[in-house]
Amino acid sequence: MLLGFLSLTKGADFFVEGAAATAQKLKIPSFIIGMTIVAMGTSAPECAVSITAALKGNNQLAVSNAVGSNIFNLMVVCGACALVVPLAVKTDILKREFPFSILVAVLLLAVGVFQMEIGRLDGILLLAVFAIFLYWMVRSAVKARKRQTNVQGVSADGTDEPIRELSALRCIIYIAGGLTAIVLGGNWVVDSASVIAESFGMSQNLIGLTVVAFGTSLPELVTSFAAAKKSQSDMALGNVIGSNIFNILLILGLSAAISPMAFHMENAIDTALLILMSIEVYFFSRKDHDIRRQEGILMLAEYAAYMVYICLR
């Protein structure tokens, strides 16, 4: 587990540096890189765990892992990053991507509660919405690149924070190597933590919502934390929002397309809580166009209360 944490930390540093340099080289804003390349990379553990669970017919773990990871991303990753530096939130994110992530959670709740399962057709629906989301991101990237007047030593999102210039080959090596270290580290932490949890007699649903959700969200945590420390708050927030969208549309969509999954009342409650928490963080963001330290502390406290609730139930 300790080796996994070390691999996650160092991998995240290289991954963020490579992604930031790529954003500057391609003249694309950091938050778009965060919502696509970084989000897809850090969602790899959730994807592996949920799809493996679906193939084995253990779909309860697939749903609880995705929803639990989204709650962790929103409350812990954003909350922890806000303790380091206020997370600046651009107007475009507040108008489009953030509300879209909330609508995606509402869609999951509606689909799940309708028949208390997520069937193959529901999975295909989620994947279709994901395809639209990807098209939307690509169009945004193309438009941003046309607008961008990138200046030497200035970041792609227009901030004054200098970004270390890397060659195209080094960008690829940093991103691929960092992602490999992140995924390996996440797997080591999840595997060892699951064995420890099972030895204490925890149920699969509880393990999915706590140990596995925490373990598979570690890439988002360490990557966003590293981005925040490097003054790439756009990438940190984009990573969280993008990962939450990927977890529901792509991961649960693929899992359901492979094998229909039951959607229990506990899943409905957790998804409803995810929606309420998302709305709360959205209003935090709208107030001053950033998430500040005191709000981060409140978010972490609420997550701690949620952990107590799911353990007691």
Side-chain angles (χ1 to χ4, degrees):
M1 185 184 285
L2 291 173
L3 190 61
F5 278 119
L6 179 63
S7 179
L8 279 165
T9 305
K10 296 308 295 180
D13 280 337
F14 282 105
F15 190 66
V16 169
E17 195 164 339
T22 301
Q24 177 167 282
K25 197 170 288 291
L26 296 177
K27 301 181 181 179
I28 295 173
S30 294
F31 87 89
I32 292 180
I33 293 289
M35 290 198 65
T36 51
I37 297 173
V38 179
M40 191 174 291
T42 56
S43 289
E46 285 98 333
C47 191
V49 169
S50 294
I51 290 175
T52 300
L55 288 169
K56 292 180 178 179
N58 189 9
N59 288 333
Q60 181 64 34
L61 186 60
V63 177
S64 59
N65 174 40
V67 175
S69 293
N70 280 15
I71 293 175
F72 183 92
N73 288 346
L74 190 70
M75 306 306 283
V76 178
V77 175
C78 285
C81 289
L83 297 183
V84 179
V85 60
L87 281 179
V89 185
K90 287 187 176 294
T91 303
D92 285 349
I93 295 178
L94 288 172
K95 285 182 178 179
R96 300 180 305 187
E97 287 82 10
F98 208 145
F100 183 72
S101 71
I102 298 173
L103 287 174
V104 165
V106 172
L107 176 63
L108 174 63
L109 182 62
V111 165
V113 170
F114 183 66
Q115 291 182 316
M116 295 312 288
E117 78 164 8
I118 304 175
R120 284 194 173 90
L121 285 178
D122 300 322
I124 292 170
L125 171 64
L126 294 176
L127 290 173
V129 177
F130 177 72
I132 294 170
F133 168 72
L134 269 189
Y135 173 73
W136 179 18
M137 283 292 97
V138 170
R139 279 197 63 188
S140 297
V142 171
K143 287 181 179 178
R145 186 170 182 176
K146 287 179 180 177
R147 291 197 308 264
Q148 194 61 257
T149 54
N150 199 36
V151 180
Q152 182 76 15
V154 177
S155 66
D157 57 1
T159 64
D160 295 326
E161 181 67 22
I163 295 174
R164 180 183 170 192
E165 285 193 24
L166 300 173
S167 66
L169 179 60
R170 290 188 74 182
C171 284
I172 293 170
I173 292 172
Y174 273 44
I175 290 174
L179 179 57
T180 300
I182 287 169
V183 173
L184 284 175
N187 286 338
W188 292 337
V189 171
V190 171
D191 291 344
S192 53
S194 293
V195 171
I196 294 169
E198 285 177 356
S199 70
F200 284 98
M202 293 172 65
S203 68
Q204 284 294 304
N205 187 49
L206 186 56
I207 290 173
L209 281 169
T210 55
V211 177
V212 179
F214 171 73
T216 55
S217 290
L218 278 176
E220 282 89 349
L221 178 60
V222 293
T223 302
S224 292
F225 199 74
K229 286 200 301 181
K230 293 176 184 288
S231 299
Q232 292 288 325
S233 60
D234 268 5
M235 188 181 293
L237 187 62
N239 177 31
V240 168
I241 295 174
S243 292
N244 282 9
I245 293 170
F246 275 52
N247 287 346
I248 292 176
L249 295 181
L250 177 62
I251 296 174
L252 284 185
L254 274 176
S255 299
I258 292 168
S259 174
M261 60 184 75
F263 193 86
H264 299 290
M265 187 52 65
E266 286 182 349
N267 299 135
I269 293 170
D270 293 326
T271 307
L273 286 173
L274 169 63
I275 294 168
L276 291 175
M277 291 174 180
S278 298
I279 293 171
E280 177 189 26
V281 176
Y282 177 74
F283 280 110
F284 284 164
S285 304
R286 278 190 67 91
K287 189 172 64 174
D288 297 304
H289 282 255
D290 62 14
I291 302 172
R292 300 186 177 182
R293 182 175 285 110
Q294 60 268 30
E295 293 162 342
I297 293 170
L298 177 61
M299 289 158 65
L300 292 171
E302 288 178 2
Y303 185 79
Y306 170 70
M307 284 291 99
V308 172
Y309 160 69
I310 62 173
C311 288
L312 289 177
R313 78 181 182 188

